[in-house]
Amino acid sequence: MAHTRDNVVLPIACEITPSRVIAARGSHRNIDSASARALSAGAVVPGLTGDNVVRPEELRTVVEDVLTTVGGHGHDVTVVLPDSVVRVVLLDFETLPDKHQDAEGVIRFRLKKSLPFDVDKAMLSYDVRRTSAGVKVVAAVAQPTVIEQYEAAFRAAGYQPGVVMPSSLAALGAVDADRPTLVLKVDAETTTVTIVDQQQLLLFRTLEGGAKAVTGERIAEDVYPSLVFLQDNYGLSVERVLIAGVPSAAEIAPVLEQQTGAKVKDLVDSSIAPGTGVPRGELAGVVGALLA
């Protein structure tokens, strides 16, 4: 997460992708309604730096339209952004200071050489898990000038961007991570591979090549290094694969199941988001944000 109010789950989530804006409203771990609207090509060009929102008035109009459809005005909204906007990094430390300010300084120092912008001025959110073997940190970092472009569209539409998070981290909110699970989330330009086990994030990789390049063979090739990483570093094998962002798991499942040896399913199944009118493959980010 790039920018959050601590431990807050809001009733409305809205995801901006390069081609669509998708919103959903939920209550009591159910999705009550969802809606999506198209963006014109080039209106939003996600990236870690530079101008992401090329046509802000169009984005404002679409955001207002889709949020009005799912429910009311003036609400706080969880904003879900493309993975290419936020850099997510997994870090290992032998120790980490308990004091938040000191720990943040250590994390920023570790990130300094891996970012194309000044980490000292960046927005940083992180989760710390301490074990007997050391300290594991999941850090999400982004440029404030980039995040503000997206947040401005919500404020202009009469909404408050209460929580901001990258799409694949948001999607993990819908995953029961009690066993080794590989999650593939595809958007228009990127494919993100995550692996979780025992409620821990073990791997996060964002790869170039989105929906237009997706085939079973291509995804199988992309996930192979991640399977090797999981085996070499944790002695684990993936027990299931969950996918989102493609029309149907059935289209790529056979090759992927042969590669991983695990059953492939849609990340968002019909019991989570029945009858919304939005393809389930596009709902993973907002559903995960609402169920987290």
Side-chain angles (χ1 to χ4, degrees):
M1 291 173 284
H3 174 50
T4 74
R5 295 177 183 174
D6 292 341
N7 301 320
V8 171
V9 177
L10 301 173
I12 301 175
C14 184
E15 178 167 10
I16 297 174
T17 78
S19 60
R20 304 257 276 176
V21 177
I22 304 136
R25 178 166 49 83
S27 60
H28 308 294
R29 295 189 64 79
N30 290 317
I31 305 304
D32 298 328
S33 64
S35 185
R37 299 287 187 277
L39 288 169
S40 64
V44 171
V45 183
L48 283 176
T49 62
D51 292 333
N52 279 223
V53 180
V54 178
R55 290 193 278 279
E57 181 56 27
E58 178 181 341
L59 181 61
R60 182 203 67 77
T61 300
V62 173
V63 164
E64 183 176 13
D65 185 22
V66 76
L67 284 174
T68 299
T69 302
V70 299
H73 291 282
H75 298 291
D76 286 349
V77 176
T78 295
V79 176
V80 181
L81 298 181
D83 289 334
S84 52
V85 172
V86 181
R87 180 67 58 83
V88 177
V89 184
L90 278 62
L91 302 170
D92 290 312
F93 298 91
E94 292 184 0
T95 61
L96 192 68
D98 292 329
K99 189 176 179 181
H100 175 77
Q101 185 175 358
D102 295 339
E104 182 173 315
V106 173
I107 293 168
R108 286 184 185 275
F109 180 79
R110 179 73 75 83
L111 293 170
K112 190 176 290 287
K113 293 183 179 179
S114 63
L115 298 172
F117 50 81
D118 186 353
V119 69
D120 291 328
K121 298 179 180 178
M123 302 171 72
L124 171 67
S125 178
Y126 61 91
D127 177 71
V128 176
R129 187 175 296 270
R130 300 178 189 276
T131 71
S132 58
V135 182
K136 294 186 177 297
V137 172
V138 179
V141 60
Q143 271 200 313
T145 53
V146 170
I147 300 300
E148 288 164 3
Q149 294 174 49
Y150 294 97
E151 290 183 330
F154 288 86
R155 294 194 176 96
Y159 291 84
Q160 178 64 31
V163 176
V164 179
M165 57 202 316
S167 182
S168 286
L169 283 189
L172 293 180
V175 178
D176 184 3
D178 61 344
R179 51 187 166 136
T181 301
L182 187 147
V183 180
L184 287 169
K185 189 167 187 312
V186 181
D187 69 19
E189 298 178 354
T190 61
T191 298
T192 298
V193 183
T194 58
I195 296 178
V196 293
D197 181 45
Q198 302 301 311
Q199 318 308 326
Q200 293 187 52
L201 180 61
L202 303 182
L203 179 140
F204 190 103
R205 298 174 62 212
T206 298
L207 309 170
E208 297 295 330
K212 293 181 180 178
V214 166
T215 64
E217 291 77 9
R218 171 67 183 271
I219 286 187
E221 182 179 331
D222 286 342
V223 304
Y224 179 73
S226 300
L227 301 176
V228 173
F229 171 88
L230 184 66
Q231 181 65 49
D232 289 351
N233 288 273
Y234 296 97
L236 297 173
S237 297
V238 166
E239 295 185 12
R240 62 176 176 167
V241 178
L242 303 177
I243 65 173
V246 296
S248 170
E251 296 184 7
I252 61 173
V255 175
L256 202 51
E257 288 179 350
Q258 184 176 20
Q259 171 78 309
T260 64
K263 189 69 176 177
V264 176
K265 298 176 58 179
D266 287 311
L267 193 157
V268 178
D269 65 37
S270 57
S271 66
I272 296 177
T276 64
V278 181
R280 284 186 284 123
E282 297 184 5
L283 286 172
V286 292
V287 167
L290 292 173
L291 298 184

